[in-house]
Amino acid sequence: MQAEQKNAPVGEQGQEDAGKVSLVGREYEVEIGPVAHGGHCIARTDEGQVLFVRHTLPGERVVARVTDGEEGARFLRADAVEILDASKDRIAAPCPYAGPGRCGGCDWQHAKPGAQRRLKGEVLTEQLERLAGLTPEQVGWDGTVMPAEGDKLPAGEVPAWRTRVQYAVDEDGNAGLRRHRSHEVEPVEHCLIAAPGVSELGIEERDWSGMASVDAIAATGSQDRQVILEPRPGARLPLVELDRPASVLRVAEQDGGIHRVHGRPFVRERADGRTYRVGNGGFWQVHPKAADTLVTAVMQGLLPRKGDTALDLYCGVGLFAAAIADRVGDEGAVLGIESGKRAVEDARHNVREFDRVRIEQGKVEAALPRTGITEADLIVLDPPRAGAGKQTVKHLASLAARRIAYVACDPAALARDVAYFAEQGYRVRTLRAFDLFPMTHHVECVAILEPVAKVS
């Protein structure tokens, strides 16, 4: 790839003697290479320095302006500020707040929906090959990233899927979203990917002076709405008047805890034919179809049997624990482990009808050994973005489960942990990928693992 330097960085003169020279503001004309994990593509300068370029697509020729980095750095970050030769997959971004220096909430507003899913598939393929040494064929994956039900829309249309939106508030009281890799706020009148239940609250239209952030939650399967206010230090809570009824919570300045102001401290979510209580803004899948999609994929992969014993690790409010318990029957047993205190309380409430389900509080790596469990038929793990890690994987493999379902929100973490499982005698039987975060670079995966001897 050839790159032509367009201009010198802002403020470069006189910096040579003071240390490394900032390249922020310098522009390069470059040819764009493959997509990379993180919502950007790869290019190189004439000097061979790697550019991670946002707002572009593979195969394009663009003018890229450096947003972060200095001479001699391993890589630079940049935005495509002029498109010289456009990809056939490029469209005009439907969102007026998308683009260089604007809202950082979306990565692929400028790409056709089908192209977005292909890019995510390419990232997942690359991470598996680089970090686990596995091809799509070896993990039983056809390379497809499936859209959620109702999300397969024509180019230029955006699915309104985000049921949880954290609005930042600027110094003037305007609600907006953070710019990419920045604390700066981009005020918005309407977020296109916000679910209708969030948009109907009218948060963007109000003055939030004194607040640092406003979280909006619109439950799936109920009319529950909730806002969580985080005041700036010393600020008083405003009188909250919204366009739809909603409970109000606040973040305490002293300890960061979340406390009820009025209304329920929880919302009711529906999935797998059940109602789940989720309190104090706790974790729940953001896409309205995500919980059902993932439960279906996990259950189809595990194929629970009556009387099975199972583990649900990083169990949150008990989504998978309840689903498994419902299928293993009265002779089966399920243990869930979750570190969050409020999530554990909710999980215990959500599985209260099952006598042989237990929820323990603690970090998985510490709590699981304390249980004394030496074997299990089935395991589900849905770890945070960093993954489970080598020691936890080693412990899980020692339990000799018939099948393990790994739910992953990060391709790199999934690939690393799959490699650790391989060291312990487990390999991936099937892998499914779902586009549960349209317009962003994120992708959700469900990998089903089995002991090598059992894989046909």
Side-chain angles (χ1 to χ4, degrees), residues 47-91:
E47 296 77 23
Q49 200 163 17
V50 173
L51 287 172
F52 289 156
V53 187
R54 282 172 56 82
H55 310 293
T56 189
L57 294 169
E60 293 188 325
R61 188 165 187 85
V62 306
V63 175
R65 180 181 297 151
V66 176
T67 58
D68 184 37
E70 57 191 16
E71 284 187 352
R74 192 162 54 92
F75 62 85
L76 307 173
R77 298 185 186 275
D79 286 338
V81 294
E82 184 180 352
I83 310 302
L84 303 175
D85 186 7
S87 164
K88 62 181 177 58
D89 290 323
R90 175 174 286 276
I91 60 171

Side-chain angles (χ1 to χ4, degrees), residues 9-22:
V10 175
E12 177 181 351
Q13 186 174 1
Q15 289 190 15
E16 289 84 348
D17 297 333
K20 292 185 177 179
V21 177
S22 170

Side-chain angles (χ1 to χ4, degrees), residues 238 241 262 420:
E241 294 182 347
H262 69 74
Y420 298 146

